[in-house]
Amino acid sequence: MKSTRVLKWLALATCIVMFLATFGGGVVTRTDSGLGCGREWPTCNGKFVPAHTIASVIEFSHRSVSGLAGLLSIATFVGFLIYFKKRRDLQFFSFMTLAFVIIQGMMGALAVVFSQSAAVMALHFGFSLIAFASASMMTLGAWQEDRDTRRVLRHDKKPVSRGFRNFIWASTVYTYIAVYTGAFLSHSTENRINSFLGIAPLSLHQIAAGILFVIILAVGHFAYRKHPDHGDIRALGVTSVILIALQIVVGIALLYTAGRPELYMFVVLSHMVIIAALFAVLCYMSFRVWQLSPEKMAVQNASLQRT
């Protein structure tokens, strides 16, 4: 259907803009441009068109991209409600995208008008990450639907084990927790918080990152070695291992570039982009293992037999 093809491209555009909004939030944080427009929202230093200072342009650009992400999220949500009535999962992803775009936008506005704690500011990044992951799942699902719906429902597809499904879900949740510790570290450093529950923020994040590295290696191992019949699961597992390896390398680079601001900002933004991609991959894998779970596959195969 033409409407389906149009909607998959709209979903892709939403995903790209959501990524730019997430990336822009990192740029605002790393360049200390959060108050580039003063403590005003939606105006910028009393104007709708900001003064041409670097901080105001960065902050205003981020607001504009976030606003565009909101408009595209509304359009895709309405589109999925109308044209994907049988895909409640994709409707849910589009709703999650819209909901978290709104939430993180409201938190951004509150952070400008009122000072926020490091814990709350870390949640702001976490919510934008959920919005991007939801947009990614919505987009991949829409392209999958347009390409070949039957490919997911074939009789020769073997279900994944409940243990593997639960492990992927737990890994995704833990990844979000590890990301939060990184965001908390970033904001706590700016606010000079020396400890959290008696643990230094850097140590807390390093511990969380080390555990995450081991978990993702296990994800890649079980995805690749135990699921030869599921090429997409294997590809997602390999991708997650590559991303976590890159994340560790970039994380180490952060320690060596901390005293060189001309390099540090680019390294820390790379760190943020990689973890956003990893979280999106794990979220989509969580969706796929749900589709391929024994209970879901039994319902799908019974539906195919009736047709």
Side-chain angles (χ1 to χ4, degrees):
M1 292 178 60
K2 182 178 179 181
S3 58
T4 302
R5 291 194 296 270
V6 171
L7 192 54
K8 76 173 187 178
W9 286 104
L10 180 60
L12 179 60
T14 304
C15 185
I16 293 173
V17 174
M18 266 307 312
F19 171 78
L20 293 175
T22 303
F23 181 79
V27 173
V28 168
T29 300
R30 299 321 311 174
T31 59
D32 294 323
S33 301
L35 295 180
C37 289
R39 293 199 175 276
E40 301 177 17
W41 193 94
T43 57
C44 185
N45 294 320
K47 302 177 182 179
F48 284 100
V49 179
H52 297 297
T53 63
I54 294 177
S56 64
V57 169
I58 291 175
E59 171 65 10
F60 186 78
S61 298
H62 176 55
R63 293 184 185 184
S64 300
V65 173
S66 298
L68 178 59
L71 293 175
L72 288 173
S73 298
I74 294 173
T76 51
F77 176 62
V78 173
F80 276 106
L81 286 180
I82 296 175
Y83 298 109
F84 279 74
K85 294 181 179 179
K86 294 182 179 180
R87 292 295 302 268
R88 296 295 179 87
D89 49 354
L90 299 184
Q91 291 180 356
F92 174 73
F93 296 148
S94 64
F95 170 75
M96 288 287 287
T97 303
L98 176 60
F100 277 96
V101 165
I102 294 173
I103 291 173
Q104 64 96 15
M106 292 175 61
M107 290 187 68
L110 290 174
V112 169
V113 179
F114 306 102
S115 297
Q116 302 293 326
S117 67
V120 174
M121 291 303 297
L123 277 179
H124 179 48
F125 175 70
F127 288 158
S128 67
L129 206 62
I130 293 176
F132 171 64
S134 299
S136 299
M137 291 189 289
M138 172 186 70
T139 302
L140 292 170
W143 281 72
Q144 177 192 53
E145 175 77 11
D146 183 66
R147 183 177 64 250
D148 187 7
T149 302
R150 292 286 180 177
R151 184 173 299 177
V152 178
L153 305 177
R154 292 184 314 180
H155 286 286
D156 59 347
K157 281 284 188 181
K158 296 180 180 179
V160 301
S161 67
R162 293 181 178 87
F164 180 71
R165 177 197 63 188
N166 294 338
F167 177 58
I168 295 300
W169 288 354
S171 299
T172 303
V173 172
Y174 180 78
T175 300
Y176 184 81
I177 295 173
V179 170
Y180 179 83
T181 66
F184 179 78
L185 169 63
S186 175
H187 291 289
S188 65
T189 300
E190 292 175 2
N191 290 280
R192 299 180 181 179
I193 296 177
N194 297 318
S195 66
F196 178 71
L197 299 179
I199 305 176
L202 179 58
S203 298
L204 180 69
H205 182 56
Q206 288 174 333
I207 293 170
I211 296 173
L212 178 62
F213 180 69
V214 175
I215 289 175
I216 298 303
L217 288 182
V219 167
H221 171 76
F222 289 117
Y224 190 83
R225 296 297 297 273
K226 303 296 184 180
H227 298 87
D229 296 329
H230 299 291
D232 55 345
I233 295 295
R234 300 181 84 182
L236 290 168
V238 171
T239 301
S240 65
V241 171
I242 293 173
L243 289 172
I244 194 62
L246 289 173
Q247 185 73 344
I248 295 298
V249 171
V250 174
I252 295 173
L254 285 173
L255 300 177
Y256 289 96
T257 58
R260 304 180 62 183
E262 71 279 6
L263 295 177
Y264 183 77
M265 186 182 74
F266 295 102
V267 176
V268 76
L269 289 176
S270 299
H271 197 60
M272 183 194 72
V273 167
I274 294 171
I275 199 62
L278 175 62
F279 184 67
V281 167
L282 290 174
C283 284
Y284 187 65
M285 188 184 290
S286 296
F287 169 58
R288 289 294 291 128
V289 296
W290 170 75
Q291 285 186 314
L292 296 169
S293 62
E295 301 86 353
K296 187 69 174 177
M297 289 293 289
V299 174
Q300 293 171 346
N301 288 332
S303 177
L304 277 179
Q305 289 175 353
R306 288 195 297 268
T307 59

